[in-house]
Amino acid sequence: MSTTPSKASKKNESSDLSNELNYEQAVAELEKLIQEMESGKMPLEENLASYKRGIELIKLCQKLLDQVEQQVKIFEEE
């Protein structure tokens, strides 16, 4: 039995985050995580959890930026 999350559950993680955070909030949390990780004071397990959260936040930011880019393209076509 594998404990690796399925693609569907990974997609749900991104959807869950987009319901919780806007772009600015995600970037702020990501910046905070980076500062904490760069301090070198985090235990390894916490560092790994922060890394995983950072990946989720980056994916959310990219998704939100892609959505805005699509909106801009639509406006430009009008």
Side-chain angles (χ1 to χ4, degrees):
M1 186 187 265
S2 175
T3 59
T4 305
S6 68
K7 286 184 180 181
S9 67
K10 286 183 180 181
K11 186 175 182 180
N12 288 339
E13 287 175 6
S14 177
S15 296
D16 291 344
L17 275 180
S18 62
N19 292 334
E20 296 174 22
L21 301 173
N22 63 32
Y23 180 81
E24 291 78 10
Q25 292 168 324
V27 169
E29 183 178 341
L30 185 57
E31 288 174 343
K32 182 179 175 190
L33 280 175
I34 290 168
Q35 287 177 349
E36 291 171 355
M37 291 174 72
E38 287 179 341
S39 75
K41 297 178 183 176
M42 290 177 116
L44 182 59
E45 289 181 15
E46 190 177 337
N47 206 333
L48 180 58
S50 292
Y51 179 82
K52 289 178 182 178
R53 177 67 175 178
I55 295 296
E56 293 170 2
L57 292 167
I58 289 170
K59 288 179 181 179
L60 171 61
C61 289
Q62 186 61 55
K63 175 184 164 187
L64 295 171
L65 287 172
D66 289 344
Q67 290 173 353
V68 169
E69 183 179 12
Q70 287 300 324
Q71 291 175 353
V72 168
K73 286 180 182 179
I74 290 169
F75 293 141
E76 288 177 344
E77 292 173 0
E78 293 179 356

